[in-house]
């Protein structure tokens, strides 16, 4: 019995390169807001933002 060739499901061709940072941010913000509301982590977010700012030298 012969096996059929494996099927590749491609819905849209992928572009080479990286996603624009604004697009990536807009994709991540809804999930971040949901996690923030679910876990009530305002202090954690402020601490992490402060740490990232210090690491970047701001």
């Amino acid at each position: 019995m012969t096996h059929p060739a494996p099927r590749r499901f491609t819905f849209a061709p992928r572009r080479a390169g990286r996603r624009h940072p604004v697009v990536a941010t807009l994709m991540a913000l809804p999930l971040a807001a949901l996690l923030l509301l679910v876990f009530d982590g305002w202090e954690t977010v402020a601490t992490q933002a402060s740490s990232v700012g210090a690491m970047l030298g701001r």
Side-chain angles (χ1 to χ4, degrees), residues 27-42 45:
M27 291 172 63
L29 278 178
L31 179 61
L34 176 68
L35 291 173
L36 183 68
L37 290 174
V38 169
F39 293 108
D40 196 29
W42 294 106
V45 171

Side-chain angles (χ1 to χ4, degrees), residues 18-31:
R18 295 176 50 172
R19 182 176 288 126
H20 194 277
V22 174
V23 175
T25 302
L26 290 176
M27 291 172 63
L29 278 178
L31 179 61

